[in-house]
Amino acid sequence: ICLADKVPPETAWLNEIHKAAMADERVKFRSVNILNEASLEKVFICEGKFDFVINCAATTRYGQDNSVYEEGVYRLSLAAARETAKHSHRLYIELSTAQVYNSDKKSSNEESKLNPWTGLAKYKLKVEKELEDISGLNYAVLRPAIVYGLGDRQGLTPRLIIGAVYKELHEKMKLLWGRDLRLNTVHVQDVCSAIWHVCQHGKKGDVYNLADKGDTTQGFITQCISDIFGIKHDYFNTVVSNLASLGISSVAEESNEKHMEPWSKACKRDDITNTPLSPYLDQELLYNKHLYVDGSKIERSGFVYNHPNLTVESLRKTSSVNYEGFTKDC
């Protein structure tokens, strides 16, 4: 296994489990700027033939300028795909996102209408369309729902931290849009298993959604977080939510300011001087947008979700591993 990235493991915020995996003698790290053709080519030349090439690299922060996604998603992914096509390989896998689908109250399968509703998703979809035209590339695409679990920073972890903040503030947590908003999920271990499953059984042009069988909603996620931190929660009514949508940028800014201050104080109290974890939620993630995903197609090829439902315990484990320094006093 060869891991190629411009960020060295020592500065990549790896936890102990990740560090142990990197220390395995079967794993090699190569410092590579994927946007630099000569740098990327050296990986293939020096390491020899790869059966599978999996692109997990991308700018994953929300709310960035188009230029950021143009370089960190579109150009980067196509550079990796085009270099792979020059060399012998069995399959190239592009990790995309289920945010490429039209956001409505109907579950989206792989044939559903495409209408990406985040900047990240728009550029991921551009990449998907370009892959079709790269000569010699055997590729498959995976479109995961919200990914949570070990190492999660931007899936459910910000919501978990917000729950801890309200524990700290001794206040009720209130949310927009109600409990029925679909926020479908998939555990990171199932994402990894799916990648390997498609390596073994996928064929050129395959597209698979990844979403567990729990049909996760905002209401269920919030109830789990409330149970973990012993807090109360409620929802703004429809009128207030609709009014908020007219000024969602200001709402997001006000909300983030409210959450960031106690988070910073808690980190300081626990002598945490630097952390990639944050309660910050970009306004793109506060839209009234359903992430309602049918992840059953991959099951028909023999894949099994080992985490078929989001649970309080799986979220509790996520919180304890990912930010133990903050939760220990909560």
Side-chain angles (χ1 to χ4, degrees):
I1 299 172
C2 179
L3 175 63
D5 198 85
K6 67 179 181 181
V7 179
E10 294 80 11
T11 61
W13 298 105
L14 303 184
N15 58 42
E16 295 306 314
I17 297 174
H18 291 147
K19 289 177 182 178
M22 288 297 301
D24 191 296
E25 62 181 11
R26 294 168 293 181
V27 179
K28 296 180 180 179
F29 173 77
R30 292 290 179 264
S31 181
V32 173
N33 180 355
I34 297 176
L35 289 168
N36 184 305
E37 184 177 351
S39 177
L40 183 58
E41 183 182 31
K42 288 181 180 178
V43 177
F44 287 86
I45 294 174
C46 296
E47 299 300 330
K49 177 184 174 182
F50 292 105
D51 290 320
F52 309 109
V53 179
I54 302 151
N55 181 33
C56 302
T59 295
T60 55
R61 291 181 61 190
Y62 292 98
Q64 304 299 296
D65 290 338
N66 286 340
S67 59
V68 175
Y69 295 124
E70 175 76 24
E71 178 174 295
V73 175
Y74 181 70
R75 287 179 52 206
L76 181 147
S77 297
L78 292 184
R82 287 167 179 157
E83 187 61 39
T84 300
K86 298 176 184 177
H87 305 273
S88 176
H89 65 284
R90 287 171 57 185
L91 198 67
Y92 172 91
I93 295 181
E94 179 69 30
L95 206 62
S96 186
T97 172
Q99 293 168 350
V100 297
Y101 295 112
N102 195 49
S103 174
D104 54 32
K105 296 182 179 181
K106 182 179 179 181
S107 179
S108 297
N109 61 32
E110 289 79 0
E111 304 301 321
S112 294
K113 180 180 179 181
L114 298 172
N115 184 21
W117 49 273
T118 65
L120 172 63
K122 290 175 184 177
Y123 282 87
K124 282 290 189 181
L125 184 56
K126 283 183 64 176
V127 171
E128 290 188 30
K129 292 178 178 179
E130 290 280 353
L131 294 180
E132 302 173 11
D133 299 326
I134 298 178
S135 177
L137 183 68
N138 300 319
Y139 74 93
V141 174
L142 299 181
R143 296 171 176 165
I146 297 172
V147 182
Y148 72 97
L150 177 66
D152 168 32
R153 299 179 195 171
Q154 299 186 64
L156 296 183
T157 290
R159 292 175 182 268
L160 279 161
I161 297 175
I162 290 170
V165 165
Y166 279 94
K167 171 78 171 183
E168 194 85 356
L169 294 173
H170 304 288
E171 293 182 16
K172 179 187 291 187
M173 181 168 61
K174 296 195 72 173
L175 301 90
L176 298 170
W177 309 124
R179 60 177 55 85
D180 295 328
L181 182 68
R182 254 64 177 230
L183 296 175
N184 287 179
T185 53
V186 61
H187 196 282
V188 66
Q189 289 182 347
D190 282 331
V191 174
C192 294
S193 296
I195 290 172
W196 186 240
H197 175 84
V198 174
C199 284
Q200 299 296 312
H201 304 287
K203 59 183 183 297
K204 182 176 181 178
D206 279 350
V207 177
Y208 289 109
N209 292 340
L210 299 179
D212 61 39
K213 305 167 80 65
D215 189 16
T216 311
T217 61
Q218 176 170 249
F220 185 76
I221 294 170
T222 307
Q223 186 59 60
C224 289
I225 293 171
S226 296
D227 291 345
I228 290 171
F229 294 106
I231 61 174
K232 294 181 179 181
H233 71 274
D234 200 357
Y235 299 90
F236 293 106
N237 61 39
T238 302
V239 173
V240 173
S241 291
N242 286 332
L243 286 173
S245 69
L246 300 176
I248 195 67
S249 178
S250 297
V251 171
E253 182 178 357
E254 182 179 339
S255 175
N256 284 319
E257 286 180 359
K258 178 181 177 68
H259 301 151
M260 289 300 293
E261 183 177 354
W263 169 245
S264 297
K265 288 181 178 178
C267 288
K268 184 177 181 180
R269 181 194 65 208
D270 287 347
D271 296 322
I272 299 173
T273 58
N274 200 9
T275 174
L277 304 181
S278 168
Y280 182 87
L281 284 175
D282 188 81
Q283 70 180 57
E284 287 187 311
L285 301 179
L286 299 180
Y287 295 151
N288 186 19
K289 299 287 189 180
H290 290 273
L291 188 63
Y292 193 6
V293 186
D294 179 354
S296 63
K297 176 184 173 182
I298 193 171
E299 292 181 292
R300 295 194 288 274
S301 69
F303 179 73
V304 176
Y305 289 98
N306 290 318
H307 299 267
N309 300 280
L310 177 69
T311 64
V312 171
E313 186 54 38
S314 62
L315 272 183
R316 194 185 302 277
K317 186 174 182 180
T318 297
S319 67
S320 64
V321 172
N322 286 0
Y323 53 97
E324 183 178 359
F326 182 66
T327 59
K328 65 183 181 181
D329 291 331
C330 291

